[in-house]
Amino acid sequence: MIYQIKVKEIDEGTNYPLIVLSGMTGLSQQTIHQLVDQGHFPIDRQDGQEVISGKAFLEWAQSVDNEIEVEKTEYHLMEVEDR
């Protein structure tokens, strides 16, 4: 499925910890790691955390029109009895 990456809050001058970038964009940490492995943007270490440059991420996102194909995950709803 095609996913529209959320980039509205991303600032070019900020280095984002991986977990923060994941939350802000809606992309999983695994997907971000795959993009790094594919060479789309680098990941650095800062204060013991993996960080990604907002500028590098935005440049890549704009190059793909802020869209990425992701695997669709479906969650089945279960009914739970009230006790």
Side-chain angles (χ1 to χ4, degrees):
M1 94 177 207
I2 300 296
Y3 177 75
Q4 186 72 34
I5 304 166
K6 298 174 184 102
V7 296
K8 185 176 180 181
E9 302 294 322
I10 305 295
D11 177 60
E12 286 189 4
T14 303
N15 289 334
Y16 292 95
L18 180 64
I19 194 165
V20 172
L21 187 66
S22 174
M24 291 178 76
T25 62
L27 297 174
S28 72
Q29 292 179 50
Q30 179 182 358
T31 298
I32 294 172
H33 268 291
Q34 289 172 349
L35 293 168
V36 168
D37 292 344
Q38 294 169 6
H40 295 295
F41 46 83
I43 193 166
D44 295 313
R45 285 224 174 257
Q46 188 176 45
D47 298 327
Q49 292 185 350
E50 294 179 313
V51 296
I52 296 171
S53 159
K55 181 177 181 179
F57 183 84
L58 283 173
E59 286 174 356
W60 166 79
Q62 290 170 354
S63 75
V64 294
D65 294 325
N66 299 334
E67 293 182 342
I68 185 171
E69 186 160 342
V70 295
E71 184 176 318
K72 185 175 180 180
T73 304
E74 291 189 31
Y75 297 95
H76 299 284
L77 297 178
M78 296 175 55
E79 296 210 15
V80 178
E81 284 184 35
D82 288 332
R83 292 187 182 203

